[in-house]
Amino acid sequence: MTATTNYYSLVASLPHMPRSFEIERVPISRIQLQQRLKLLGDRDKNIVEQVQSFLLWDRQLPERTDDEVEMEYDRLMKSISNSLVRDIINHRMDIRTITCALRRRRLGLEPPTAVGQHTDHIRKNWHHPDFRLVREHPWIPHVREALDAGEPMQVERQLLSATWNRWVQLADQFYFSFETVLLYLARWEIVDRWTRLDETAGRHKFDELLTQTLNLEENVT
């Protein structure tokens, strides 16, 4: 089979991805999805594995130190050449950095070290409500308001929505291509994450993040 036929067969075999991530269950199970991905060639499989590993690692980021995050980010940027994969990673890192900055400022802490393109900009605009980034990231005021209101599920909803909307816009530009597969996986991960959340888990996660931030500051001081 040619590469084009592989992409066409794979994309055609995937259930329709809804326009919203706020649904009750993923359109395809993880096991079934992995079975479909066997239609890819070896090179594409390696890239897909990198994306899936990053998305799984990204879920565990609150447990990582700043140095560990920076090391992993540098490793990924050196090892990945696919432009869309780099975009996926950079976008997720930007959201993490901005959200961390909002949380730290709310607690009266210093700007995060973090990684990504906005780190220096955030430091220079630390006292501006939205770090002067709202034009590029219109979700910031909504997340800030949800943080101030102590609404963890709303915070998570806004963060997932920001990423989801970006992937939907990009997905509309591709048809039966490797990029289509990558963006399907990125959106599947968001749906999977959302369907695993509930109010209790959201509150626990919110409290845990605040505790980790405070502990980090105590260790630094």
Side-chain angles (χ1 to χ4, degrees):
M1 297 176 68
T2 65
T4 301
T5 304
N6 280 340
Y7 296 143
Y8 186 93
S9 300
L10 173 53
V11 174
S13 73
L14 296 172
H16 173 71
M17 184 65 69
R19 299 295 291 186
S20 171
F21 64 87
E22 296 186 54
I23 56 179
E24 294 183 357
R25 65 185 66 180
V26 291
I28 182 173
S29 71
R30 185 182 297 275
I31 293 176
Q32 291 173 323
L33 184 57
Q34 293 303 123
Q35 288 292 326
R36 301 291 197 280
L37 294 178
K38 290 182 178 180
L39 290 171
L40 292 171
D42 291 339
R43 179 176 178 278
D44 291 339
K45 284 180 182 177
N46 290 335
I47 296 176
V48 164
E49 288 174 0
Q50 288 178 316
V51 173
Q52 290 181 317
S53 295
F54 167 74
L55 294 175
L56 178 60
W57 178 83
D58 180 56
R59 288 194 183 195
Q60 302 167 344
L61 263 180
E63 303 171 7
R64 313 280 183 172
T65 66
D66 287 347
D67 288 342
E68 288 175 329
V69 172
E70 185 174 1
M71 288 177 59
E72 180 64 9
Y73 177 78
D74 289 342
R75 185 191 69 78
L76 288 169
M77 289 298 99
K78 291 177 181 177
S79 64
I80 295 175
S81 59
N82 182 281
S83 60
L84 180 55
V85 177
R86 293 174 70 90
D87 188 12
I88 289 173
I89 293 171
N90 278 318
H91 182 72
R92 289 298 303 146
M93 286 297 190
D94 285 345
I95 286 183
R96 285 284 184 172
T97 296
I98 295 169
T99 305
C100 178
L102 289 171
R103 289 192 172 107
R104 289 181 66 86
R105 188 179 62 186
R106 182 175 176 273
L107 293 170
L109 306 179
E110 295 297 315
T113 53
V115 296
Q117 61 179 329
H118 297 308
T119 304
D120 291 338
H121 182 89
I122 289 173
R123 291 196 187 100
K124 293 176 182 177
N125 296 276
W126 184 241
H127 297 293
H128 189 277
D130 305 316
F131 309 121
R132 301 188 189 278
L133 287 171
V134 72
R135 179 175 297 181
E136 185 173 355
H137 297 283
W139 52 270
I140 295 177
H142 305 294
V143 170
R144 173 169 50 79
E145 292 168 4
L147 282 169
D148 291 342
E151 298 178 351
M153 284 298 291
Q154 184 62 16
V155 171
E156 192 72 9
R157 178 184 283 109
Q158 292 294 337
L159 293 175
L160 292 179
S161 180
T163 304
W164 176 268
N165 291 338
R166 183 177 179 85
W167 301 155
V168 168
Q169 291 172 359
L170 284 175
D172 288 341
Q173 302 174 23
F174 299 101
Y175 301 93
F176 300 105
S177 66
F178 185 51
E179 289 77 12
T180 306
V181 177
L182 291 176
L183 291 166
Y184 190 96
L185 292 175
R187 285 176 292 161
W188 184 94
E189 190 274 338
I190 292 177
V191 175
D192 182 59
R193 183 181 299 199
W194 177 255
T195 56
R196 294 174 184 273
L197 290 175
D198 58 37
E199 292 290 343
T200 301
R203 169 60 64 179
H204 175 74
K205 181 177 181 181
F206 181 78
D207 292 340
E208 184 181 67
L209 286 170
L210 293 184
T211 301
Q212 288 170 346
T213 304
L214 287 172
N215 289 340
L216 176 62
E217 179 66 12
E218 290 176 357
N219 292 334
V220 171
T221 57

